[in-house]
Amino acid sequence: MPADLSPTARALRAMEILQARPGVTAGELAACLGVTERAARRYVGILREAGIPVESVRGPYGGYRLRRGTRLPPVAFTEPEALGLVMAVLNGQPGATDVGDLVGAALGKVIRALPENIGRQAAALREYASAAPDRFSARPDPATTSALVAAIADRRRVVVAYRSESGNEWEAEVDPWAVVVRHGRWYLLCYSHRADAVRTYRVDRVRQVQRTRHAFEPPDDLDPVAALEENLGTGWEFATRVVFDAPPTEVAPWIRPPMGRLEPLRDGCVLVGSTSNPTMYAQEWLPNVPFPFRVEGGPELRAAVASLASRLATALEAGPWTTSRPGRDAPTGGDRTWQSSSPTG
C-alpha cells in the first residue's frame, strides 16, 4: 500500500480485507496494510471503536473475521482506486463518457457516490478524457453474458442460438467452460456436442441462451486463455491452408492464433486452420507476414486473395505519376517534381 495513507484510510482498507478474507491473521493483515503486526492490531481496535464487530479466534486456525450478518457501510474508494476505475472503464468502453450510455450511466452513479474531493477529480477525468473507439471491439448483450456466466458458475449445459458473421444461423448444445475477453471481444469457450469438439463463439453473436438440466465438469487443467488461443483458428465455415517458403521458427512470430496451426512442411511450413471471414484473413492477416507464401486452400480464401491482388494490380495500372508544388530550395526557384514508379520499374 502507499506509505502516505492516513490512519483512517488504512482502517477502511483493513475492513475491506476482513470482509474479503475471513480468518485473516494479524501477520497477513499487517502484510496487506504494509505495517507491523502491532499496528495492524491497532487498526482492528479502531474498527471496533467505530462499532464494526470484529471477532478474533485464537489458535492455528484462528484469525480476525467480521461477525456474521454484519452490515457494512457503502464501499469506500481511495483516490488512486477511483481514478484507476474511471480510466479502466473509459479504456474498455469509450462511450462511457456519454451519460446516455449504459456503462456511462453506471459510472456516473459511482462517481456521485464518491466523497466530494475524490468524486470531483473522477468527474473531471471522465469529462476531459477522450477515448478513441476500437473498431475491432464488440459489445455483447449484458443479459446474454450474465446468462452464460451463471451457467458456467453452476456447471450447467446450455443451448445457444448463434449467428455467424456470414449470416448462417444454428443452435448448439454446449458445455460452457469460460468467458474470455480478448482484444475488446468477448468469447465463449465451450465444448460443443453438435460438433463433438472444443469451440469458441463470439458472445455478441449469441442470440439466445437456454439452460438445460444436464450438468458438466470442465477439464481439471483448463487454462481458458490458452485454450481460447489454441482454438480460435478452428471450427469455422471456411477451411484455410497457406504454405510458406520459410522455416516455422521464422514464420511463427508473425502468426496470430486465430489464423490456424503452423506445421513443418519440407523446407518450409504450412498454416492450417479455418475462418468465418476470408476477406479479413486475406487483407489484414496474410499481408503482414513478410515471407513468400502460396494459398492452397480453401476456395473462399483463394478467391479473397485473388480479389485483393486484382485491386492492387489495378492501382498500379496508371503507371508512374508526377506532381509538383512550389519548392523553396528548388535550384531555379520554380517547382520541384517527385516521381514514383512501380516495383518493376
Side-chain angles (χ1 to χ4, degrees):
M1 293 188 67
D4 57 348
L5 286 184
S6 67
T8 301
R10 290 189 186 277
L12 290 174
R13 176 57 180 154
M15 183 175 65
E16 293 176 358
I17 296 170
L18 292 173
Q19 184 182 21
R21 299 173 56 184
V24 63
T25 66
E28 294 169 339
L29 183 60
C32 292
L33 296 175
V35 297
T36 63
E37 289 191 24
R38 180 178 179 181
R41 295 189 182 93
R42 184 167 65 249
Y43 290 123
V44 171
I46 292 175
L47 293 177
R48 287 169 172 164
E49 291 176 2
I52 304 298
V54 180
E55 299 177 340
S56 58
V57 179
R58 296 182 180 277
Y61 302 103
Y64 294 113
R65 67 184 69 242
L66 298 177
R67 183 181 302 164
R68 185 180 299 276
T70 300
R71 295 179 60 87
L72 295 176
V75 176
F77 293 98
T78 64
E79 180 181 323
E81 289 174 339
L83 297 181
L85 178 62
V86 174
M87 292 171 67
V89 171
L90 295 181
N91 181 60
Q93 180 84 356
T97 54
D98 181 4
V99 294
D101 179 81
L102 178 65
V103 177
L107 181 60
K109 293 180 180 179
V110 172
I111 291 177
R112 288 192 293 272
L114 294 172
E116 182 178 359
N117 61 327
I118 298 177
R120 187 186 309 113
Q121 296 180 62
L125 175 60
R126 180 195 189 188
E127 181 178 356
Y128 294 107
S130 300
D134 182 356
R135 66 189 182 95
F136 296 110
S137 66
R139 308 298 174 192
D141 176 54
T144 299
T145 308
S146 178
L148 290 173
V149 170
I152 293 168
D154 295 339
R155 297 187 175 182
R156 291 292 176 181
R157 190 180 300 176
V158 297
V159 176
V160 296
Y162 194 79
R163 184 173 64 198
S164 69
E165 187 174 12
S166 59
N168 295 330
E169 297 187 9
W170 67 83
E171 287 189 352
E173 188 171 359
V174 304
D175 296 343
W177 289 351
V179 168
V180 181
V181 184
R182 181 182 185 276
H183 302 321
R185 291 180 176 177
W186 295 63
Y187 294 91
L188 171 66
L189 176 68
C190 61
Y191 180 83
S192 170
H193 294 271
R194 175 177 182 266
D196 192 23
V198 178
R199 287 290 181 261
T200 55
Y201 295 131
R202 287 262 299 272
V203 178
D204 59 294
R205 294 178 184 160
V206 175
R207 320 315 297 175
Q208 188 177 8
V209 179
Q210 181 179 354
R211 185 186 293 217
T212 73
R213 297 180 179 179
H214 302 289
F216 73 90
E217 288 293 329
D220 293 334
D221 57 348
L222 178 65
D223 182 336
V225 175
L228 178 81
E229 295 282 354
E230 181 180 349
N231 288 278
L232 272 176
T234 61
W236 303 108
E237 299 100 310
F238 308 114
T240 60
R241 179 180 173 87
V242 183
V243 177
F244 292 92
D245 296 331
T249 53
E250 296 183 15
V251 177
W254 300 91
I255 301 301
R256 301 172 55 181
M259 295 175 69
R261 183 179 64 258
L262 196 64
E263 301 175 348
L265 181 67
R266 296 185 292 276
D267 295 332
C269 57
V270 59
L271 180 63
V272 180
S274 62
T275 181
S276 63
N277 191 337
T279 300
M280 180 181 69
Y281 200 111
Q283 295 184 2
E284 298 185 16
W285 291 352
L286 283 180
N288 288 326
V289 184
F291 300 101
F293 62 84
R294 301 185 307 279
V295 179
E296 295 186 349
E300 296 81 8
L301 180 59
R302 286 178 58 85
V305 172
S307 175
L308 175 62
S310 176
R311 285 178 51 203
L312 295 178
T314 300
L316 294 176
E317 287 179 356
W321 57 272
T322 62
T323 182
S324 61
R325 63 180 178 84
R328 291 177 299 177
D329 55 348
T332 61
D335 292 347
R336 287 189 300 173
T337 301
W338 287 262
Q339 186 170 16
S340 173
S341 61
S342 67
T344 58

